[in-house]
Each structure stands twice: as C-alpha cells, then as structure tokens.
Amino acid sequence: MDRLDMIIPRIDALLQNQEHVLIAIDGSCTSGKTTLAAQLAKCYDCNVFHMDDFFLRPEQRTKERYGQIGGNVDYERFKEEVLVPLLSRREFCYRPFQCKTFTLTEPVCVPVKKLNIIEGSYAMHPYFGDPYGFKILLTVDPEIQRQRVLERPAFVQERFFTQWIPMENAYLEHFRIADSADLIL
C-alpha cells in the first residue's frame, strides 16, 4: 500500500468533519517529510510550513540553546508567527530563515486555508501543545539515512552526522514523539 493511500483517507475524513485541519509531519532527517508535504500539496489546496524556515538565527546559537533537547529550531518564533495565527484562523505573514545568509527573508503572507501542513523535524515539539488533528512520524533506516546524507552537498554532511542527526534523535527519543504520532511510516 502506498503511503498516500494510508494518509489521504484520514485527511479527507478530517476535512469532512472539521472546519480547520492542522497536520504535523515530523521525523528524522532524510525520511521524506518535505517530499510527503509536497505530495499532499498537489492533492489539496493547503498551506505548507517548513520547520527549516525556523532555524536559529546567529545570535540564538548558544551553547545553552544547543544544550536544550529540541532547541535546534526557533520554536518560540514558530509558535508566535505561525501557529498562533493559524489557530485563530486569520491571515498572517512570517519571515522564513534563509540558511545561505543566516538572515530572515522578506515576509511571506499566508491566506486562510482549511488545511495546513507543518513539516519538518521538531514539528511536534511539546512546546506547541497538541494543536494537530493528525500527526505523522516518518522514520528511516540509519544506513539509508547515511546514504541520503552523502548525496547532499559535501559541506553539510559532517554537520548532519555530528550535530543534526544526534540532536533530532535526542528530541525524538526524549519527548517520545512516536508515542504521540497517529501514524508512523
């Protein structure tokens, strides 16, 4: 069974029964979170938000912050700029983080839509409470993950192996993200 075949009926049921649907796609890096969100965006008229747009700005990158489990993203800014307005069902603008320049981009304005998808590692961080109608956790075999990381630009590979993957694994384990997921693929 294709993963979309397992997901689309659940989303359709939520859309039939709720006025506003918020979905989280969380999981390990290289597990296909962004790809799945893009596939769903082709099926539905929805907003898609990427947790990668909320990486820490340079001034936030402290030893203390990196010492926090799940502290690799600006979850406070995500909640304030995206989650709160989504839950209040109003149009809003937010400023994505640009990894190449380590700055925030020009504002991106978001219309109200019935379906909203949050994808990326840390999407189900407990700091957000439990706002999601459907929580999907994607996993990946460590060897496949290693191979996929090696297909990425060489200058980021070491950071994946020494920093990002260990931080994501600690977050997934510490907060027991799998226990709160509605679907694990």
PDB file of all heavy atoms in Angstrom, residues 5-36:
ATOM      1  N   ASP A   5      -1.997   6.385   0.133  1.00  0.00           N
ATOM      2  CA  ASP A   5      -3.236   5.628   0.307  1.00  0.00           C
ATOM      3  C   ASP A   5      -3.605   5.471   1.781  1.00  0.00           C
ATOM      4  O   ASP A   5      -4.773   5.280   2.113  1.00  0.00           O
ATOM      5  CB  ASP A   5      -3.125   4.242  -0.335  1.00  0.00           C
ATOM      6  CG  ASP A   5      -3.020   4.302  -1.848  1.00  0.00           C
ATOM      7  OD1 ASP A   5      -3.463   5.311  -2.435  1.00  0.00           O
ATOM      8  OD2 ASP A   5      -2.482   3.340  -2.442  1.00  0.00           O
ATOM      9  N   MET A   6      -2.617   5.547   2.658  1.00  0.00           N
ATOM     10  CA  MET A   6      -2.872   5.445   4.089  1.00  0.00           C
ATOM     11  C   MET A   6      -3.172   6.810   4.705  1.00  0.00           C
ATOM     12  O   MET A   6      -3.767   6.883   5.772  1.00  0.00           O
ATOM     13  CB  MET A   6      -1.666   4.813   4.794  1.00  0.00           C
ATOM     14  CG  MET A   6      -1.420   3.402   4.342  1.00  0.00           C
ATOM     15  SD  MET A   6      -0.031   2.484   5.061  1.00  0.00           S
ATOM     16  CE  MET A   6       0.871   3.601   6.022  1.00  0.00           C
ATOM     17  N   ILE A   7      -2.764   7.868   4.040  1.00  0.00           N
ATOM     18  CA  ILE A   7      -2.887   9.211   4.604  1.00  0.00           C
ATOM     19  C   ILE A   7      -4.107   9.960   4.074  1.00  0.00           C
ATOM     20  O   ILE A   7      -4.849  10.576   4.844  1.00  0.00           O
ATOM     21  CB  ILE A   7      -1.591  10.002   4.322  1.00  0.00           C
ATOM     22  CG1 ILE A   7      -0.423   9.355   5.061  1.00  0.00           C
ATOM     23  CG2 ILE A   7      -1.748  11.468   4.704  1.00  0.00           C
ATOM     24  CD1 ILE A   7       0.944   9.900   4.679  1.00  0.00           C
ATOM     25  N   ILE A   8      -4.320   9.917   2.771  1.00  0.00           N
ATOM     26  CA  ILE A   8      -5.388  10.715   2.152  1.00  0.00           C
ATOM     27  C   ILE A   8      -6.773  10.418   2.740  1.00  0.00           C
ATOM     28  O   ILE A   8      -7.517  11.353   3.048  1.00  0.00           O
ATOM     29  CB  ILE A   8      -5.336  10.593   0.624  1.00  0.00           C
ATOM     30  CG1 ILE A   8      -4.124  11.388   0.116  1.00  0.00           C
ATOM     31  CG2 ILE A   8      -6.630  11.068  -0.025  1.00  0.00           C
ATOM     32  CD1 ILE A   8      -3.861  11.304  -1.365  1.00  0.00           C
ATOM     33  N   PRO A   9      -7.157   9.160   2.945  1.00  0.00           N
ATOM     34  CA  PRO A   9      -8.489   8.928   3.539  1.00  0.00           C
ATOM     35  C   PRO A   9      -8.637   9.561   4.931  1.00  0.00           C
ATOM     36  O   PRO A   9      -9.709  10.049   5.282  1.00  0.00           O
ATOM     37  CB  PRO A   9      -8.595   7.403   3.615  1.00  0.00           C
ATOM     38  CG  PRO A   9      -7.658   6.911   2.557  1.00  0.00           C
ATOM     39  CD  PRO A   9      -6.525   7.896   2.531  1.00  0.00           C
ATOM     40  N   ARG A  10      -7.555   9.578   5.691  1.00  0.00           N
ATOM     41  CA  ARG A  10      -7.621  10.172   7.027  1.00  0.00           C
ATOM     42  C   ARG A  10      -7.761  11.688   6.939  1.00  0.00           C
ATOM     43  O   ARG A  10      -8.510  12.294   7.711  1.00  0.00           O
ATOM     44  CB  ARG A  10      -6.401   9.765   7.840  1.00  0.00           C
ATOM     45  CG  ARG A  10      -6.435   8.254   8.132  1.00  0.00           C
ATOM     46  CD  ARG A  10      -5.254   7.774   8.879  1.00  0.00           C
ATOM     47  NE  ARG A  10      -5.407   8.070  10.296  1.00  0.00           N
ATOM     48  CZ  ARG A  10      -4.641   7.531  11.233  1.00  0.00           C
ATOM     49  NH1 ARG A  10      -3.696   6.662  10.907  1.00  0.00           N
ATOM     50  NH2 ARG A  10      -4.813   7.860  12.501  1.00  0.00           N
ATOM     51  N   ILE A  11      -7.040  12.289   6.000  1.00  0.00           N
ATOM     52  CA  ILE A  11      -7.171  13.736   5.817  1.00  0.00           C
ATOM     53  C   ILE A  11      -8.571  14.058   5.311  1.00  0.00           C
ATOM     54  O   ILE A  11      -9.211  15.003   5.797  1.00  0.00           O
ATOM     55  CB  ILE A  11      -6.096  14.272   4.857  1.00  0.00           C
ATOM     56  CG1 ILE A  11      -4.705  14.129   5.495  1.00  0.00           C
ATOM     57  CG2 ILE A  11      -6.368  15.731   4.492  1.00  0.00           C
ATOM     58  CD1 ILE A  11      -3.551  14.496   4.575  1.00  0.00           C
ATOM     59  N   ASP A  12      -9.065  13.290   4.353  1.00  0.00           N
ATOM     60  CA  ASP A  12     -10.414  13.533   3.827  1.00  0.00           C
ATOM     61  C   ASP A  12     -11.462  13.469   4.935  1.00  0.00           C
ATOM     62  O   ASP A  12     -12.372  14.299   4.984  1.00  0.00           O
ATOM     63  CB  ASP A  12     -10.750  12.522   2.722  1.00  0.00           C
ATOM     64  CG  ASP A  12      -9.957  12.752   1.444  1.00  0.00           C
ATOM     65  OD1 ASP A  12      -9.346  13.842   1.287  1.00  0.00           O
ATOM     66  OD2 ASP A  12      -9.942  11.834   0.603  1.00  0.00           O
ATOM     67  N   ALA A  13     -11.340  12.510   5.832  1.00  0.00           N
ATOM     68  CA  ALA A  13     -12.294  12.389   6.941  1.00  0.00           C
ATOM     69  C   ALA A  13     -12.211  13.609   7.858  1.00  0.00           C
ATOM     70  O   ALA A  13     -13.244  14.132   8.296  1.00  0.00           O
ATOM     71  CB  ALA A  13     -12.023  11.105   7.730  1.00  0.00           C
ATOM     72  N   LEU A  14     -10.995  14.068   8.131  1.00  0.00           N
ATOM     73  CA  LEU A  14     -10.844  15.269   8.959  1.00  0.00           C
ATOM     74  C   LEU A  14     -11.468  16.483   8.281  1.00  0.00           C
ATOM     75  O   LEU A  14     -12.154  17.281   8.928  1.00  0.00           O
ATOM     76  CB  LEU A  14      -9.359  15.534   9.244  1.00  0.00           C
ATOM     77  CG  LEU A  14      -8.672  14.573  10.207  1.00  0.00           C
ATOM     78  CD1 LEU A  14      -7.163  14.775  10.178  1.00  0.00           C
ATOM     79  CD2 LEU A  14      -9.208  14.747  11.626  1.00  0.00           C
ATOM     80  N   LEU A  15     -11.228  16.624   6.988  1.00  0.00           N
ATOM     81  CA  LEU A  15     -11.767  17.773   6.255  1.00  0.00           C
ATOM     82  C   LEU A  15     -13.294  17.762   6.208  1.00  0.00           C
ATOM     83  O   LEU A  15     -13.927  18.817   6.181  1.00  0.00           O
ATOM     84  CB  LEU A  15     -11.182  17.822   4.838  1.00  0.00           C
ATOM     85  CG  LEU A  15      -9.695  18.184   4.756  1.00  0.00           C
ATOM     86  CD1 LEU A  15      -9.162  17.965   3.345  1.00  0.00           C
ATOM     87  CD2 LEU A  15      -9.457  19.621   5.208  1.00  0.00           C
ATOM     88  N   GLN A  16     -13.878  16.581   6.205  1.00  0.00           N
ATOM     89  CA  GLN A  16     -15.345  16.481   6.204  1.00  0.00           C
ATOM     90  C   GLN A  16     -15.947  16.840   7.560  1.00  0.00           C
ATOM     91  O   GLN A  16     -17.072  17.314   7.633  1.00  0.00           O
ATOM     92  CB  GLN A  16     -15.788  15.066   5.822  1.00  0.00           C
ATOM     93  CG  GLN A  16     -15.594  14.751   4.369  1.00  0.00           C
ATOM     94  CD  GLN A  16     -16.008  13.319   4.032  1.00  0.00           C
ATOM     95  OE1 GLN A  16     -16.287  12.515   4.906  1.00  0.00           O
ATOM     96  NE2 GLN A  16     -16.043  13.018   2.748  1.00  0.00           N
ATOM     97  N   ASN A  17     -15.195  16.614   8.624  1.00  0.00           N
ATOM     98  CA  ASN A  17     -15.740  16.764   9.968  1.00  0.00           C
ATOM     99  C   ASN A  17     -15.242  17.980  10.737  1.00  0.00           C
ATOM    100  O   ASN A  17     -15.737  18.243  11.836  1.00  0.00           O
ATOM    101  CB  ASN A  17     -15.437  15.509  10.793  1.00  0.00           C
ATOM    102  CG  ASN A  17     -16.127  14.302  10.218  1.00  0.00           C
ATOM    103  OD1 ASN A  17     -17.308  14.341   9.922  1.00  0.00           O
ATOM    104  ND2 ASN A  17     -15.381  13.213  10.044  1.00  0.00           N
ATOM    105  N   GLN A  18     -14.259  18.696  10.196  1.00  0.00           N
ATOM    106  CA  GLN A  18     -13.697  19.836  10.919  1.00  0.00           C
ATOM    107  C   GLN A  18     -13.609  21.051  10.003  1.00  0.00           C
ATOM    108  O   GLN A  18     -13.374  20.919   8.804  1.00  0.00           O
ATOM    109  CB  GLN A  18     -12.300  19.494  11.459  1.00  0.00           C
ATOM    110  CG  GLN A  18     -12.307  18.372  12.469  1.00  0.00           C
ATOM    111  CD  GLN A  18     -10.906  18.049  12.975  1.00  0.00           C
ATOM    112  OE1 GLN A  18      -9.975  18.825  12.815  1.00  0.00           O
ATOM    113  NE2 GLN A  18     -10.768  16.896  13.600  1.00  0.00           N
ATOM    114  N   GLU A  19     -13.742  22.223  10.586  1.00  0.00           N
ATOM    115  CA  GLU A  19     -13.637  23.467   9.818  1.00  0.00           C
ATOM    116  C   GLU A  19     -12.191  23.840   9.520  1.00  0.00           C
ATOM    117  O   GLU A  19     -11.912  24.563   8.573  1.00  0.00           O
ATOM    118  CB  GLU A  19     -14.296  24.614  10.583  1.00  0.00           C
ATOM    119  CG  GLU A  19     -15.793  24.526  10.637  1.00  0.00           C
ATOM    120  CD  GLU A  19     -16.385  25.735  11.316  1.00  0.00           C
ATOM    121  OE1 GLU A  19     -15.826  26.838  11.184  1.00  0.00           O
ATOM    122  OE2 GLU A  19     -17.408  25.569  11.975  1.00  0.00           O
ATOM    123  N   HIS A  20     -11.284  23.353  10.362  1.00  0.00           N
ATOM    124  CA  HIS A  20      -9.871  23.735  10.256  1.00  0.00           C
ATOM    125  C   HIS A  20      -9.030  22.525  10.616  1.00  0.00           C
ATOM    126  O   HIS A  20      -9.221  21.940  11.683  1.00  0.00           O
ATOM    127  CB  HIS A  20      -9.598  24.895  11.225  1.00  0.00           C
ATOM    128  CG  HIS A  20      -8.253  25.478  11.099  1.00  0.00           C
ATOM    129  ND1 HIS A  20      -7.267  25.279  12.031  1.00  0.00           N
ATOM    130  CD2 HIS A  20      -7.719  26.288  10.158  1.00  0.00           C
ATOM    131  CE1 HIS A  20      -6.180  25.939  11.673  1.00  0.00           C
ATOM    132  NE2 HIS A  20      -6.428  26.561  10.535  1.00  0.00           N
ATOM    133  N   VAL A  21      -8.113  22.130   9.730  1.00  0.00           N
ATOM    134  CA  VAL A  21      -7.306  20.930   9.956  1.00  0.00           C
ATOM    135  C   VAL A  21      -5.831  21.305   9.923  1.00  0.00           C
ATOM    136  O   VAL A  21      -5.347  21.931   8.973  1.00  0.00           O
ATOM    137  CB  VAL A  21      -7.601  19.847   8.890  1.00  0.00           C
ATOM    138  CG1 VAL A  21      -6.708  18.633   9.091  1.00  0.00           C
ATOM    139  CG2 VAL A  21      -9.074  19.466   8.925  1.00  0.00           C
ATOM    140  N   LEU A  22      -5.135  20.905  10.968  1.00  0.00           N
ATOM    141  CA  LEU A  22      -3.699  21.148  11.088  1.00  0.00           C
ATOM    142  C   LEU A  22      -3.008  19.800  11.207  1.00  0.00           C
ATOM    143  O   LEU A  22      -3.361  18.993  12.078  1.00  0.00           O
ATOM    144  CB  LEU A  22      -3.439  22.013  12.318  1.00  0.00           C
ATOM    145  CG  LEU A  22      -2.056  22.567  12.544  1.00  0.00           C
ATOM    146  CD1 LEU A  22      -1.587  23.393  11.353  1.00  0.00           C
ATOM    147  CD2 LEU A  22      -2.031  23.426  13.796  1.00  0.00           C
ATOM    148  N   ILE A  23      -2.044  19.554  10.316  1.00  0.00           N
ATOM    149  CA  ILE A  23      -1.342  18.273  10.258  1.00  0.00           C
ATOM    150  C   ILE A  23       0.144  18.501  10.513  1.00  0.00           C
ATOM    151  O   ILE A  23       0.726  19.464   9.996  1.00  0.00           O
ATOM    152  CB  ILE A  23      -1.528  17.614   8.878  1.00  0.00           C
ATOM    153  CG1 ILE A  23      -2.993  17.274   8.661  1.00  0.00           C
ATOM    154  CG2 ILE A  23      -0.644  16.376   8.722  1.00  0.00           C
ATOM    155  CD1 ILE A  23      -3.296  16.786   7.258  1.00  0.00           C
ATOM    156  N   ALA A  24       0.754  17.620  11.283  1.00  0.00           N
ATOM    157  CA  ALA A  24       2.199  17.648  11.508  1.00  0.00           C
ATOM    158  C   ALA A  24       2.836  16.457  10.819  1.00  0.00           C
ATOM    159  O   ALA A  24       2.324  15.338  10.881  1.00  0.00           O
ATOM    160  CB  ALA A  24       2.510  17.591  13.003  1.00  0.00           C
ATOM    161  N   ILE A  25       3.966  16.715  10.142  1.00  0.00           N
ATOM    162  CA  ILE A  25       4.801  15.649   9.581  1.00  0.00           C
ATOM    163  C   ILE A  25       6.178  15.846  10.187  1.00  0.00           C
ATOM    164  O   ILE A  25       6.905  16.780   9.852  1.00  0.00           O
ATOM    165  CB  ILE A  25       4.881  15.706   8.045  1.00  0.00           C
ATOM    166  CG1 ILE A  25       3.485  15.651   7.427  1.00  0.00           C
ATOM    167  CG2 ILE A  25       5.772  14.578   7.522  1.00  0.00           C
ATOM    168  CD1 ILE A  25       3.471  15.891   5.917  1.00  0.00           C
ATOM    169  N   ASP A  26       6.537  14.994  11.115  1.00  0.00           N
ATOM    170  CA  ASP A  26       7.795  15.094  11.857  1.00  0.00           C
ATOM    171  C   ASP A  26       8.617  13.846  11.552  1.00  0.00           C
ATOM    172  O   ASP A  26       8.116  12.906  10.938  1.00  0.00           O
ATOM    173  CB  ASP A  26       7.496  15.200  13.355  1.00  0.00           C
ATOM    174  CG  ASP A  26       8.612  15.826  14.177  1.00  0.00           C
ATOM    175  OD1 ASP A  26       9.796  15.709  13.785  1.00  0.00           O
ATOM    176  OD2 ASP A  26       8.304  16.414  15.229  1.00  0.00           O
ATOM    177  N   GLY A  27       9.857  13.837  11.986  1.00  0.00           N
ATOM    178  CA  GLY A  27      10.677  12.646  11.833  1.00  0.00           C
ATOM    179  C   GLY A  27      12.134  12.960  11.598  1.00  0.00           C
ATOM    180  O   GLY A  27      12.564  14.118  11.630  1.00  0.00           O
ATOM    181  N   SER A  28      12.872  11.921  11.338  1.00  0.00           N
ATOM    182  CA  SER A  28      14.311  12.011  11.127  1.00  0.00           C
ATOM    183  C   SER A  28      14.633  12.722   9.820  1.00  0.00           C
ATOM    184  O   SER A  28      13.849  12.671   8.867  1.00  0.00           O
ATOM    185  CB  SER A  28      14.914  10.606  11.065  1.00  0.00           C
ATOM    186  OG  SER A  28      14.578   9.879  12.211  1.00  0.00           O
ATOM    187  N   CYS A  29      15.802  13.346   9.786  1.00  0.00           N
ATOM    188  CA  CYS A  29      16.217  13.967   8.526  1.00  0.00           C
ATOM    189  C   CYS A  29      16.384  12.875   7.473  1.00  0.00           C
ATOM    190  O   CYS A  29      16.727  11.745   7.790  1.00  0.00           O
ATOM    191  CB  CYS A  29      17.470  14.807   8.699  1.00  0.00           C
ATOM    192  SG  CYS A  29      18.942  13.925   9.179  1.00  0.00           S
ATOM    193  N   THR A  30      16.089  13.224   6.263  1.00  0.00           N
ATOM    194  CA  THR A  30      16.117  12.367   5.066  1.00  0.00           C
ATOM    195  C   THR A  30      15.012  11.303   5.072  1.00  0.00           C
ATOM    196  O   THR A  30      15.043  10.395   4.255  1.00  0.00           O
ATOM    197  CB  THR A  30      17.480  11.685   4.809  1.00  0.00           C
ATOM    198  OG1 THR A  30      17.664  10.579   5.693  1.00  0.00           O
ATOM    199  CG2 THR A  30      18.647  12.653   4.883  1.00  0.00           C
ATOM    200  N   SER A  31      14.022  11.427   5.944  1.00  0.00           N
ATOM    201  CA  SER A  31      12.955  10.422   5.983  1.00  0.00           C
ATOM    202  C   SER A  31      11.835  10.712   4.991  1.00  0.00           C
ATOM    203  O   SER A  31      10.938   9.890   4.833  1.00  0.00           O
ATOM    204  CB  SER A  31      12.384  10.306   7.404  1.00  0.00           C
ATOM    205  OG  SER A  31      11.812  11.523   7.819  1.00  0.00           O
ATOM    206  N   GLY A  32      11.859  11.876   4.337  1.00  0.00           N
ATOM    207  CA  GLY A  32      10.868  12.174   3.313  1.00  0.00           C
ATOM    208  C   GLY A  32       9.771  13.136   3.737  1.00  0.00           C
ATOM    209  O   GLY A  32       8.721  13.196   3.095  1.00  0.00           O
ATOM    210  N   LYS A  33      10.001  13.902   4.784  1.00  0.00           N
ATOM    211  CA  LYS A  33       8.984  14.828   5.290  1.00  0.00           C
ATOM    212  C   LYS A  33       8.608  15.886   4.259  1.00  0.00           C
ATOM    213  O   LYS A  33       7.427  16.116   3.988  1.00  0.00           O
ATOM    214  CB  LYS A  33       9.480  15.513   6.575  1.00  0.00           C
ATOM    215  CG  LYS A  33       9.788  14.558   7.706  1.00  0.00           C
ATOM    216  CD  LYS A  33      10.385  15.250   8.905  1.00  0.00           C
ATOM    217  CE  LYS A  33      11.698  15.935   8.656  1.00  0.00           C
ATOM    218  NZ  LYS A  33      12.821  15.086   8.299  1.00  0.00           N
ATOM    219  N   THR A  34       9.604  16.528   3.681  1.00  0.00           N
ATOM    220  CA  THR A  34       9.347  17.579   2.693  1.00  0.00           C
ATOM    221  C   THR A  34       8.691  17.000   1.447  1.00  0.00           C
ATOM    222  O   THR A  34       7.768  17.597   0.881  1.00  0.00           O
ATOM    223  CB  THR A  34      10.665  18.303   2.339  1.00  0.00           C
ATOM    224  OG1 THR A  34      11.264  18.791   3.545  1.00  0.00           O
ATOM    225  CG2 THR A  34      10.435  19.447   1.376  1.00  0.00           C
ATOM    226  N   THR A  35       9.140  15.834   1.028  1.00  0.00           N
ATOM    227  CA  THR A  35       8.564  15.175  -0.143  1.00  0.00           C
ATOM    228  C   THR A  35       7.099  14.831   0.099  1.00  0.00           C
ATOM    229  O   THR A  35       6.244  15.075  -0.759  1.00  0.00           O
ATOM    230  CB  THR A  35       9.370  13.905  -0.486  1.00  0.00           C
ATOM    231  OG1 THR A  35      10.722  14.277  -0.759  1.00  0.00           O
ATOM    232  CG2 THR A  35       8.784  13.176  -1.681  1.00  0.00           C
ATOM    233  N   LEU A  36       6.794  14.281   1.271  1.00  0.00           N
ATOM    234  CA  LEU A  36       5.411  13.939   1.588  1.00  0.00           C
ATOM    235  C   LEU A  36       4.542  15.198   1.617  1.00  0.00           C
ATOM    236  O   LEU A  36       3.438  15.208   1.058  1.00  0.00           O
ATOM    237  CB  LEU A  36       5.329  13.200   2.922  1.00  0.00           C
ATOM    238  CG  LEU A  36       3.916  12.865   3.406  1.00  0.00           C
ATOM    239  CD1 LEU A  36       3.156  12.022   2.390  1.00  0.00           C
ATOM    240  CD2 LEU A  36       3.986  12.158   4.759  1.00  0.00           C
TER     241      LEU A  36
END
